[in-house]
Amino acid sequence: MADATARFTAFLVMATGLNGAAWEVAYWFAGGVAWAILLGLAGAAVSAPIAPAGGVPTYRQLWRRWWGNLHRFEGWQYVVCLVPALAVAEVIGVLWHQEKGYWIALAVVIVIRRRGGSLLRATQRCLGTCAGVLIGGALVLWVPPSWAIVAVVSVLAGLRPLLKERNYAAYATVMTPLVVLLMDLGRTPGLSTIGYRLIDTVIGCLIAILPTLVLRRRHVA
């Protein structure tokens, strides 16, 4: 549920940035979740039952751990980091009247992760996101044929799960051009649009690093 919430937030920022309705995002996201659950149940029905390994927690233990986390700061750390940073990003995007202002909020969602991490990892995510914007912009300006776009999207989508746990900077570098290609599909933005998008990404990354700095000082203190 926590992972799905983070994905939903990213989809919500992207869709509303493209003038989509928030309820439509929730509707289609819920449909996708329901479909994934049905596929999971079908797969479990046809596969052979696997005996649980030793030490696997029960649902009651997981529930108690989750409920206990709600009574500690660590259980709310993702929310505490994301909500203020996302609010600042949205305010800047509204006050700065330009078409791609929602990329500030999108950069915040990409950089701030549920499991947190060190300042080094946050910086790596920022650098990877900025590099991804440049790569995605170059691919869009190139105006490749449709089959090439499909091939590039397929390769990038395949690399995502492989890089996510190994190197988050590389993951962000792959994830961002994938988002750029999907959002600019059928359109060819100008150099100014790509420049604004890069500036917005840098601003969003700087906002996203601030919670990490504050939490770092809190732990040191």
Side-chain angles (χ1 to χ4, degrees):
M1 290 177 63
D3 287 335
T5 302
R7 295 190 189 101
F8 174 74
T9 304
F11 292 149
L12 187 64
V13 171
M14 287 189 287
T16 52
L18 294 173
N19 299 321
W23 70 268
E24 287 185 294
V25 181
Y27 174 82
W28 290 110
F29 192 88
V33 171
W35 178 241
I37 291 174
L38 288 176
L39 291 178
L41 292 175
V46 299
S47 61
I50 301 175
V56 176
T58 64
Y59 284 113
R60 177 173 294 183
Q61 291 172 330
L62 291 173
W63 172 267
R64 288 177 177 175
R65 187 178 68 178
W66 174 78
W67 183 252
N69 284 336
L70 294 182
H71 295 80
R72 297 195 299 268
F73 174 77
E74 289 73 13
W76 295 91
Q77 185 168 314
Y78 178 63
V79 177
V80 171
C81 291
L82 180 63
V83 172
L86 201 55
V88 172
E90 291 289 353
V91 169
I92 295 176
V94 170
L95 296 179
W96 188 16
H97 301 288
Q98 49 108 353
E99 184 183 358
K100 302 296 181 182
Y102 64 90
W103 268 86
I104 302 175
L106 185 58
V108 168
V109 173
I110 292 175
V111 173
I112 295 180
R113 306 307 300 168
R114 183 171 62 87
R115 293 181 177 87
S118 63
L119 180 61
L120 176 60
R121 284 181 60 84
T123 305
Q124 289 175 341
R125 292 195 291 265
C126 291
L127 293 176
T129 304
C130 293
V133 169
L134 293 175
I135 295 172
L139 290 173
V140 172
L141 288 177
W142 171 38
V143 194
S146 300
W147 64 266
I149 294 178
V150 173
V152 171
V153 169
S154 300
V155 171
L156 294 177
L159 289 174
R160 283 181 61 252
L162 297 177
L163 296 175
K164 186 172 183 179
E165 300 300 331
R166 293 172 174 82
N167 189 319
Y168 206 91
Y171 168 78
T173 305
V174 167
M175 178 63 186
T176 309
L178 178 62
V179 173
V180 171
L181 287 175
L182 293 176
M183 298 183 73
D184 287 337
L185 194 63
R187 297 180 296 175
T188 305
L191 286 174
S192 61
T193 300
I194 296 175
Y196 275 125
R197 182 177 287 162
L198 181 60
I199 294 173
D200 292 337
T201 302
V202 172
I203 295 174
C205 288
L206 292 176
I207 295 173
I209 286 180
L210 289 178
T212 304
L213 292 174
V214 173
L215 290 176
R216 186 183 182 188
R217 294 190 60 181
R218 177 179 179 271
H219 289 309
V220 170

mmCIF file of all heavy atoms in Angstrom, residues 87-133:
data_model
loop_
_atom_site.group_PDB
_atom_site.id
_atom_site.type_symbol
_atom_site.label_atom_id
_atom_site.label_comp_id
_atom_site.label_asym_id
_atom_site.label_seq_id
_atom_site.Cartn_x
_atom_site.Cartn_y
_atom_site.Cartn_z
ATOM 1 N N ALA A 87 4.045 20.963 -1.152
ATOM 2 C CA ALA A 87 3.283 22.215 -1.039
ATOM 3 C C ALA A 87 4.101 23.402 -1.540
ATOM 4 O O ALA A 87 3.592 24.256 -2.282
ATOM 5 C CB ALA A 87 2.863 22.429 0.415
ATOM 6 N N VAL A 88 5.374 23.470 -1.152
ATOM 7 C CA VAL A 88 6.247 24.554 -1.631
ATOM 8 C C VAL A 88 6.394 24.493 -3.144
ATOM 9 O O VAL A 88 6.340 25.523 -3.839
ATOM 10 C CB VAL A 88 7.627 24.470 -0.948
ATOM 11 C CG1 VAL A 88 8.602 25.467 -1.565
ATOM 12 C CG2 VAL A 88 7.504 24.728 0.550
ATOM 13 N N ALA A 89 6.567 23.294 -3.685
ATOM 14 C CA ALA A 89 6.710 23.130 -5.130
ATOM 15 C C ALA A 89 5.460 23.598 -5.867
ATOM 16 O O ALA A 89 5.546 24.272 -6.909
ATOM 17 C CB ALA A 89 7.004 21.671 -5.458
ATOM 18 N N GLU A 90 4.282 23.267 -5.345
ATOM 19 C CA GLU A 90 3.041 23.672 -5.992
ATOM 20 C C GLU A 90 2.855 25.188 -5.932
ATOM 21 O O GLU A 90 2.381 25.801 -6.895
ATOM 22 C CB GLU A 90 1.852 22.964 -5.333
ATOM 23 C CG GLU A 90 1.787 21.471 -5.591
ATOM 24 C CD GLU A 90 1.422 21.135 -7.021
ATOM 25 O OE1 GLU A 90 1.092 22.053 -7.792
ATOM 26 O OE2 GLU A 90 1.474 19.941 -7.378
ATOM 27 N N VAL A 91 3.221 25.792 -4.814
ATOM 28 C CA VAL A 91 3.099 27.249 -4.691
ATOM 29 C C VAL A 91 4.008 27.948 -5.696
ATOM 30 O O VAL A 91 3.597 28.893 -6.388
ATOM 31 C CB VAL A 91 3.428 27.696 -3.250
ATOM 32 C CG1 VAL A 91 3.565 29.219 -3.183
ATOM 33 C CG2 VAL A 91 2.353 27.222 -2.288
ATOM 34 N N ILE A 92 5.244 27.494 -5.814
ATOM 35 C CA ILE A 92 6.170 28.079 -6.783
ATOM 36 C C ILE A 92 5.640 27.873 -8.203
ATOM 37 O O ILE A 92 5.696 28.782 -9.045
ATOM 38 C CB ILE A 92 7.573 27.465 -6.635
ATOM 39 C CG1 ILE A 92 8.166 27.827 -5.280
ATOM 40 C CG2 ILE A 92 8.499 27.957 -7.754
ATOM 41 C CD1 ILE A 92 9.507 27.187 -5.006
ATOM 42 N N GLY A 93 5.111 26.686 -8.482
ATOM 43 C CA GLY A 93 4.569 26.417 -9.808
ATOM 44 C C GLY A 93 3.394 27.309 -10.157
ATOM 45 O O GLY A 93 3.229 27.702 -11.314
ATOM 46 N N VAL A 94 2.569 27.638 -9.157
ATOM 47 C CA VAL A 94 1.418 28.519 -9.399
ATOM 48 C C VAL A 94 1.863 29.965 -9.582
ATOM 49 O O VAL A 94 1.380 30.684 -10.473
ATOM 50 C CB VAL A 94 0.402 28.401 -8.245
ATOM 51 C CG1 VAL A 94 -0.672 29.481 -8.354
ATOM 52 C CG2 VAL A 94 -0.243 27.019 -8.243
ATOM 53 N N LEU A 95 2.792 30.425 -8.732
ATOM 54 C CA LEU A 95 3.237 31.810 -8.807
ATOM 55 C C LEU A 95 4.106 32.085 -10.029
ATOM 56 O O LEU A 95 4.111 33.195 -10.563
ATOM 57 C CB LEU A 95 4.013 32.177 -7.529
ATOM 58 C CG LEU A 95 3.209 32.140 -6.225
ATOM 59 C CD1 LEU A 95 4.096 32.498 -5.048
ATOM 60 C CD2 LEU A 95 2.012 33.086 -6.306
ATOM 61 N N TRP A 96 4.849 31.076 -10.463
ATOM 62 C CA TRP A 96 5.705 31.239 -11.637
ATOM 63 C C TRP A 96 4.916 30.753 -12.850
ATOM 64 O O TRP A 96 4.824 29.573 -13.129
ATOM 65 C CB TRP A 96 6.992 30.431 -11.472
ATOM 66 C CG TRP A 96 7.996 30.690 -12.556
ATOM 67 C CD1 TRP A 96 8.012 31.733 -13.424
ATOM 68 C CD2 TRP A 96 9.132 29.886 -12.876
ATOM 69 N NE1 TRP A 96 9.080 31.638 -14.275
ATOM 70 C CE2 TRP A 96 9.787 30.516 -13.968
ATOM 71 C CE3 TRP A 96 9.644 28.709 -12.362
ATOM 72 C CZ2 TRP A 96 10.942 29.996 -14.540
ATOM 73 C CZ3 TRP A 96 10.801 28.183 -12.935
ATOM 74 C CH2 TRP A 96 11.438 28.823 -13.999
ATOM 75 N N HIS A 97 4.337 31.664 -13.570
ATOM 76 C CA HIS A 97 3.425 31.323 -14.656
ATOM 77 C C HIS A 97 4.198 30.834 -15.874
ATOM 78 O O HIS A 97 4.624 31.614 -16.716
ATOM 79 C CB HIS A 97 2.562 32.541 -15.019
ATOM 80 C CG HIS A 97 1.752 33.062 -13.883
ATOM 81 N ND1 HIS A 97 0.648 32.389 -13.394
ATOM 82 C CD2 HIS A 97 1.894 34.167 -13.108
ATOM 83 C CE1 HIS A 97 0.134 33.074 -12.388
ATOM 84 N NE2 HIS A 97 0.867 34.142 -12.188
ATOM 85 N N GLN A 98 4.375 29.536 -15.951
ATOM 86 C CA GLN A 98 4.956 28.923 -17.140
ATOM 87 C C GLN A 98 4.401 27.519 -17.284
ATOM 88 O O GLN A 98 3.992 26.889 -16.319
ATOM 89 C CB GLN A 98 6.494 28.929 -17.096
ATOM 90 C CG GLN A 98 7.099 28.426 -15.812
ATOM 91 C CD GLN A 98 7.750 27.047 -15.970
ATOM 92 O OE1 GLN A 98 7.643 26.422 -17.006
ATOM 93 N NE2 GLN A 98 8.407 26.590 -14.936
ATOM 94 N N GLU A 99 4.385 27.024 -18.513
ATOM 95 C CA GLU A 99 3.621 25.828 -18.856
ATOM 96 C C GLU A 99 4.067 24.587 -18.095
ATOM 97 O O GLU A 99 3.248 23.750 -17.723
ATOM 98 C CB GLU A 99 3.734 25.575 -20.359
ATOM 99 C CG GLU A 99 2.905 24.396 -20.860
ATOM 100 C CD GLU A 99 3.104 24.138 -22.335
ATOM 101 O OE1 GLU A 99 3.858 24.896 -22.966
ATOM 102 O OE2 GLU A 99 2.514 23.178 -22.843
ATOM 103 N N LYS A 100 5.354 24.436 -17.845
ATOM 104 C CA LYS A 100 5.882 23.199 -17.263
ATOM 105 C C LYS A 100 6.148 23.321 -15.768
ATOM 106 O O LYS A 100 6.971 22.606 -15.227
ATOM 107 C CB LYS A 100 7.179 22.797 -17.977
ATOM 108 C CG LYS A 100 7.026 22.585 -19.478
ATOM 109 C CD LYS A 100 6.091 21.424 -19.788
ATOM 110 C CE LYS A 100 5.968 21.200 -21.285
ATOM 111 N NZ LYS A 100 5.029 20.115 -21.608
ATOM 112 N N GLY A 101 5.441 24.236 -15.085
ATOM 113 C CA GLY A 101 5.679 24.424 -13.663
ATOM 114 C C GLY A 101 5.432 23.180 -12.827
ATOM 115 O O GLY A 101 6.003 23.027 -11.740
ATOM 116 N N TYR A 102 4.591 22.267 -13.322
ATOM 117 C CA TYR A 102 4.302 21.060 -12.550
ATOM 118 C C TYR A 102 5.511 20.137 -12.458
ATOM 119 O O TYR A 102 5.520 19.214 -11.636
ATOM 120 C CB TYR A 102 3.119 20.303 -13.163
ATOM 121 C CG TYR A 102 3.371 19.777 -14.554
ATOM 122 C CD1 TYR A 102 3.906 18.512 -14.756
ATOM 123 C CD2 TYR A 102 3.043 20.542 -15.674
ATOM 124 C CE1 TYR A 102 4.121 18.018 -16.031
ATOM 125 C CE2 TYR A 102 3.257 20.064 -16.951
ATOM 126 C CZ TYR A 102 3.799 18.814 -17.123
ATOM 127 O OH TYR A 102 4.016 18.331 -18.392
ATOM 128 N N TRP A 103 6.547 20.386 -13.271
ATOM 129 C CA TRP A 103 7.748 19.564 -13.177
ATOM 130 C C TRP A 103 8.492 19.791 -11.867
ATOM 131 O O TRP A 103 9.278 18.946 -11.446
ATOM 132 C CB TRP A 103 8.672 19.834 -14.362
ATOM 133 C CG TRP A 103 8.404 18.889 -15.489
ATOM 134 C CD1 TRP A 103 7.463 19.043 -16.472
ATOM 135 C CD2 TRP A 103 9.048 17.638 -15.736
ATOM 136 N NE1 TRP A 103 7.490 17.968 -17.316
ATOM 137 C CE2 TRP A 103 8.451 17.083 -16.895
ATOM 138 C CE3 TRP A 103 10.058 16.933 -15.105
ATOM 139 C CZ2 TRP A 103 8.847 15.864 -17.408
ATOM 140 C CZ3 TRP A 103 10.452 15.718 -15.623
ATOM 141 C CH2 TRP A 103 9.847 15.189 -16.765
ATOM 142 N N ILE A 104 8.260 20.922 -11.217
ATOM 143 C CA ILE A 104 8.854 21.155 -9.898
ATOM 144 C C ILE A 104 8.319 20.120 -8.914
ATOM 145 O O ILE A 104 9.075 19.456 -8.196
ATOM 146 C CB ILE A 104 8.551 22.584 -9.406
ATOM 147 C CG1 ILE A 104 9.071 23.624 -10.407
ATOM 148 C CG2 ILE A 104 9.169 22.826 -8.032
ATOM 149 C CD1 ILE A 104 8.709 25.045 -10.050
ATOM 150 N N ALA A 105 6.992 19.968 -8.895
ATOM 151 C CA ALA A 105 6.371 18.976 -8.010
ATOM 152 C C ALA A 105 6.750 17.560 -8.419
ATOM 153 O O ALA A 105 6.968 16.689 -7.558
ATOM 154 C CB ALA A 105 4.849 19.143 -8.030
ATOM 155 N N LEU A 106 6.854 17.310 -9.724
ATOM 156 C CA LEU A 106 7.209 15.969 -10.184
ATOM 157 C C LEU A 106 8.621 15.594 -9.745
ATOM 158 O O LEU A 106 8.881 14.452 -9.344
ATOM 159 C CB LEU A 106 7.097 15.903 -11.710
ATOM 160 C CG LEU A 106 7.310 14.528 -12.343
ATOM 161 C CD1 LEU A 106 6.317 13.522 -11.787
ATOM 162 C CD2 LEU A 106 7.186 14.616 -13.864
ATOM 163 N N ALA A 107 9.549 16.547 -9.806
ATOM 164 C CA ALA A 107 10.912 16.282 -9.342
ATOM 165 C C ALA A 107 10.926 15.969 -7.849
ATOM 166 O O ALA A 107 11.669 15.094 -7.390
ATOM 167 C CB ALA A 107 11.815 17.477 -9.645
ATOM 168 N N VAL A 108 10.110 16.669 -7.076
ATOM 169 C CA VAL A 108 10.018 16.410 -5.638
ATOM 170 C C VAL A 108 9.545 14.977 -5.385
ATOM 171 O O VAL A 108 10.109 14.250 -4.552
ATOM 172 C CB VAL A 108 9.056 17.420 -4.972
ATOM 173 C CG1 VAL A 108 8.731 16.992 -3.543
ATOM 174 C CG2 VAL A 108 9.673 18.807 -4.970
ATOM 175 N N VAL A 109 8.512 14.545 -6.122
ATOM 176 C CA VAL A 109 7.965 13.199 -5.937
ATOM 177 C C VAL A 109 8.999 12.138 -6.324
ATOM 178 O O VAL A 109 9.109 11.088 -5.670
ATOM 179 C CB VAL A 109 6.682 13.036 -6.775
ATOM 180 C CG1 VAL A 109 6.197 11.601 -6.734
ATOM 181 C CG2 VAL A 109 5.597 13.958 -6.249
ATOM 182 N N ILE A 110 9.771 12.394 -7.386
ATOM 183 C CA ILE A 110 10.763 11.417 -7.834
ATOM 184 C C ILE A 110 11.919 11.311 -6.846
ATOM 185 O O ILE A 110 12.399 10.210 -6.546
ATOM 186 C CB ILE A 110 11.295 11.796 -9.236
ATOM 187 C CG1 ILE A 110 10.180 11.626 -10.285
ATOM 188 C CG2 ILE A 110 12.501 10.936 -9.616
ATOM 189 C CD1 ILE A 110 10.581 12.079 -11.674
ATOM 190 N N VAL A 111 12.371 12.453 -6.312
ATOM 191 C CA VAL A 111 13.582 12.464 -5.483
ATOM 192 C C VAL A 111 13.298 11.979 -4.061
ATOM 193 O O VAL A 111 14.063 11.188 -3.501
ATOM 194 C CB VAL A 111 14.203 13.869 -5.457
ATOM 195 C CG1 VAL A 111 15.355 13.936 -4.457
ATOM 196 C CG2 VAL A 111 14.704 14.248 -6.850
ATOM 197 N N ILE A 112 12.193 12.430 -3.463
ATOM 198 C CA ILE A 112 11.882 12.012 -2.090
ATOM 199 C C ILE A 112 11.330 10.595 -2.130
ATOM 200 O O ILE A 112 10.316 10.329 -2.755
ATOM 201 C CB ILE A 112 10.862 12.958 -1.437
ATOM 202 C CG1 ILE A 112 11.457 14.354 -1.284
ATOM 203 C CG2 ILE A 112 10.440 12.425 -0.063
ATOM 204 C CD1 ILE A 112 10.518 15.352 -0.647
ATOM 205 N N ARG A 113 12.017 9.701 -1.455
ATOM 206 C CA ARG A 113 11.627 8.299 -1.450
ATOM 207 C C ARG A 113 11.086 7.893 -0.090
ATOM 208 O O ARG A 113 11.420 8.485 0.928
ATOM 209 C CB ARG A 113 12.820 7.398 -1.810
ATOM 210 C CG ARG A 113 13.508 7.746 -3.106
ATOM 211 C CD ARG A 113 12.551 7.821 -4.269
ATOM 212 N NE ARG A 113 11.869 6.566 -4.493
ATOM 213 C CZ ARG A 113 10.810 6.444 -5.306
ATOM 214 N NH1 ARG A 113 10.321 7.495 -5.914
ATOM 215 N NH2 ARG A 113 10.254 5.262 -5.469
ATOM 216 N N ARG A 114 10.242 6.863 -0.100
ATOM 217 C CA ARG A 114 9.593 6.414 1.136
ATOM 218 C C ARG A 114 10.604 5.927 2.157
ATOM 219 O O ARG A 114 10.456 6.147 3.362
ATOM 220 C CB ARG A 114 8.593 5.303 0.803
ATOM 221 C CG ARG A 114 7.813 4.808 2.001
ATOM 222 C CD ARG A 114 6.700 3.888 1.557
ATOM 223 N NE ARG A 114 7.218 2.714 0.884
ATOM 224 C CZ ARG A 114 7.596 1.602 1.499
ATOM 225 N NH1 ARG A 114 7.546 1.541 2.827
ATOM 226 N NH2 ARG A 114 8.022 0.566 0.825
ATOM 227 N N ARG A 115 11.656 5.243 1.694
ATOM 228 C CA ARG A 115 12.664 4.731 2.625
ATOM 229 C C ARG A 115 13.738 5.749 2.949
ATOM 230 O O ARG A 115 14.702 5.437 3.630
ATOM 231 C CB ARG A 115 13.305 3.464 2.039
ATOM 232 C CG ARG A 115 12.349 2.293 1.943
ATOM 233 C CD ARG A 115 13.035 1.069 1.387
ATOM 234 N NE ARG A 115 12.143 -0.081 1.348
ATOM 235 C CZ ARG A 115 11.331 -0.356 0.338
ATOM 236 N NH1 ARG A 115 11.317 0.449 -0.721
ATOM 237 N NH2 ARG A 115 10.551 -1.420 0.365
ATOM 238 N N GLY A 116 13.597 6.955 2.442
ATOM 239 C CA GLY A 116 14.557 8.005 2.774
ATOM 240 C C GLY A 116 15.924 7.723 2.211
ATOM 241 O O GLY A 116 16.085 7.399 1.040
ATOM 242 N N GLY A 117 16.931 7.828 3.048
ATOM 243 C CA GLY A 117 18.304 7.602 2.601
ATOM 244 C C GLY A 117 19.188 8.760 3.014
ATOM 245 O O GLY A 117 18.750 9.753 3.599
ATOM 246 N N SER A 118 20.460 8.612 2.715
ATOM 247 C CA SER A 118 21.432 9.623 3.099
ATOM 248 C C SER A 118 21.372 10.820 2.150
ATOM 249 O O SER A 118 20.707 10.796 1.111
ATOM 250 C CB SER A 118 22.835 9.019 3.081
ATOM 251 O OG SER A 118 23.168 8.614 1.749
ATOM 252 N N LEU A 119 22.105 11.871 2.523
ATOM 253 C CA LEU A 119 22.205 13.047 1.668
ATOM 254 C C LEU A 119 22.875 12.691 0.347
ATOM 255 O O LEU A 119 22.523 13.234 -0.709
ATOM 256 C CB LEU A 119 22.996 14.148 2.388
ATOM 257 C CG LEU A 119 23.193 15.459 1.618
ATOM 258 C CD1 LEU A 119 21.859 16.102 1.296
ATOM 259 C CD2 LEU A 119 24.061 16.416 2.434
ATOM 260 N N LEU A 120 23.831 11.759 0.391
ATOM 261 C CA LEU A 120 24.504 11.337 -0.834
ATOM 262 C C LEU A 120 23.514 10.698 -1.798
ATOM 263 O O LEU A 120 23.519 10.998 -3.002
ATOM 264 C CB LEU A 120 25.625 10.349 -0.496
ATOM 265 C CG LEU A 120 26.372 9.734 -1.702
ATOM 266 C CD1 LEU A 120 27.029 10.821 -2.532
ATOM 267 C CD2 LEU A 120 27.399 8.707 -1.227
ATOM 268 N N ARG A 121 22.646 9.832 -1.294
ATOM 269 C CA ARG A 121 21.659 9.196 -2.159
ATOM 270 C C ARG A 121 20.672 10.204 -2.710
ATOM 271 O O ARG A 121 20.263 10.114 -3.873
ATOM 272 C CB ARG A 121 20.919 8.083 -1.400
ATOM 273 C CG ARG A 121 21.726 6.819 -1.239
ATOM 274 C CD ARG A 121 20.921 5.759 -0.492
ATOM 275 N NE ARG A 121 19.698 5.404 -1.188
ATOM 276 C CZ ARG A 121 19.625 4.514 -2.173
ATOM 277 N NH1 ARG A 121 20.721 3.909 -2.585
ATOM 278 N NH2 ARG A 121 18.479 4.216 -2.732
ATOM 279 N N ALA A 122 20.279 11.179 -1.897
ATOM 280 C CA ALA A 122 19.370 12.221 -2.380
ATOM 281 C C ALA A 122 20.033 13.039 -3.489
ATOM 282 O O ALA A 122 19.393 13.382 -4.493
ATOM 283 C CB ALA A 122 18.945 13.132 -1.223
ATOM 284 N N THR A 123 21.317 13.350 -3.302
ATOM 285 C CA THR A 123 22.048 14.093 -4.337
ATOM 286 C C THR A 123 22.176 13.267 -5.612
ATOM 287 O O THR A 123 22.037 13.795 -6.725
ATOM 288 C CB THR A 123 23.448 14.478 -3.820
ATOM 289 O OG1 THR A 123 23.311 15.202 -2.590
ATOM 290 C CG2 THR A 123 24.169 15.342 -4.839
ATOM 291 N N GLN A 124 22.423 11.975 -5.468
ATOM 292 C CA GLN A 124 22.503 11.099 -6.639
ATOM 293 C C GLN A 124 21.166 11.065 -7.372
ATOM 294 O O GLN A 124 21.135 11.080 -8.611
ATOM 295 C CB GLN A 124 22.905 9.695 -6.207
ATOM 296 C CG GLN A 124 24.352 9.573 -5.756
ATOM 297 C CD GLN A 124 24.670 8.182 -5.225
ATOM 298 O OE1 GLN A 124 23.769 7.419 -4.869
ATOM 299 N NE2 GLN A 124 25.947 7.856 -5.181
ATOM 300 N N ARG A 125 20.069 11.025 -6.629
ATOM 301 C CA ARG A 125 18.751 11.028 -7.267
ATOM 302 C C ARG A 125 18.527 12.326 -8.019
ATOM 303 O O ARG A 125 17.968 12.328 -9.119
ATOM 304 C CB ARG A 125 17.662 10.817 -6.214
ATOM 305 C CG ARG A 125 17.665 9.436 -5.596
ATOM 306 C CD ARG A 125 16.378 9.157 -4.846
ATOM 307 N NE ARG A 125 16.255 9.956 -3.635
ATOM 308 C CZ ARG A 125 16.611 9.533 -2.429
ATOM 309 N NH1 ARG A 125 17.163 8.343 -2.279
ATOM 310 N NH2 ARG A 125 16.435 10.305 -1.381
ATOM 311 N N CYS A 126 18.967 13.445 -7.443
ATOM 312 C CA CYS A 126 18.817 14.746 -8.111
ATOM 313 C C CYS A 126 19.623 14.789 -9.404
ATOM 314 O O CYS A 126 19.119 15.224 -10.451
ATOM 315 C CB CYS A 126 19.257 15.872 -7.174
ATOM 316 S SG CYS A 126 18.165 16.141 -5.766
ATOM 317 N N LEU A 127 20.875 14.366 -9.334
ATOM 318 C CA LEU A 127 21.724 14.387 -10.531
ATOM 319 C C LEU A 127 21.164 13.445 -11.601
ATOM 320 O O LEU A 127 21.166 13.793 -12.797
ATOM 321 C CB LEU A 127 23.154 13.977 -10.158
ATOM 322 C CG LEU A 127 23.908 14.948 -9.247
ATOM 323 C CD1 LEU A 127 25.279 14.382 -8.872
ATOM 324 C CD2 LEU A 127 24.075 16.309 -9.909
ATOM 325 N N GLY A 128 20.692 12.281 -11.194
ATOM 326 C CA GLY A 128 20.112 11.357 -12.151
ATOM 327 C C GLY A 128 18.853 11.911 -12.793
ATOM 328 O O GLY A 128 18.633 11.741 -13.999
ATOM 329 N N THR A 129 18.029 12.612 -12.008
ATOM 330 C CA THR A 129 16.808 13.198 -12.549
ATOM 331 C C THR A 129 17.121 14.293 -13.562
ATOM 332 O O THR A 129 16.504 14.363 -14.636
ATOM 333 C CB THR A 129 15.943 13.766 -11.414
ATOM 334 O OG1 THR A 129 15.683 12.731 -10.448
ATOM 335 C CG2 THR A 129 14.630 14.298 -11.941
ATOM 336 N N CYS A 130 18.078 15.163 -13.235
ATOM 337 C CA CYS A 130 18.471 16.234 -14.170
ATOM 338 C C CYS A 130 19.061 15.646 -15.452
ATOM 339 O O CYS A 130 18.756 16.110 -16.564
ATOM 340 C CB CYS A 130 19.476 17.165 -13.508
ATOM 341 S SG CYS A 130 18.802 18.141 -12.131
ATOM 342 N N ALA A 131 19.895 14.616 -15.309
ATOM 343 C CA ALA A 131 20.458 13.975 -16.494
ATOM 344 C C ALA A 131 19.359 13.336 -17.329
ATOM 345 O O ALA A 131 19.393 13.379 -18.570
ATOM 346 C CB ALA A 131 21.494 12.920 -16.079
ATOM 347 N N GLY A 132 18.369 12.759 -16.669
ATOM 348 C CA GLY A 132 17.257 12.160 -17.394
ATOM 349 C C GLY A 132 16.445 13.163 -18.177
ATOM 350 O O GLY A 132 15.969 12.871 -19.276
ATOM 351 N N VAL A 133 16.276 14.376 -17.623
ATOM 352 C CA VAL A 133 15.561 15.431 -18.349
ATOM 353 C C VAL A 133 16.304 15.790 -19.631
ATOM 354 O O VAL A 133 15.699 15.954 -20.704
ATOM 355 C CB VAL A 133 15.392 16.671 -17.454
ATOM 356 C CG1 VAL A 133 14.893 17.867 -18.264
ATOM 357 C CG2 VAL A 133 14.405 16.377 -16.330
#
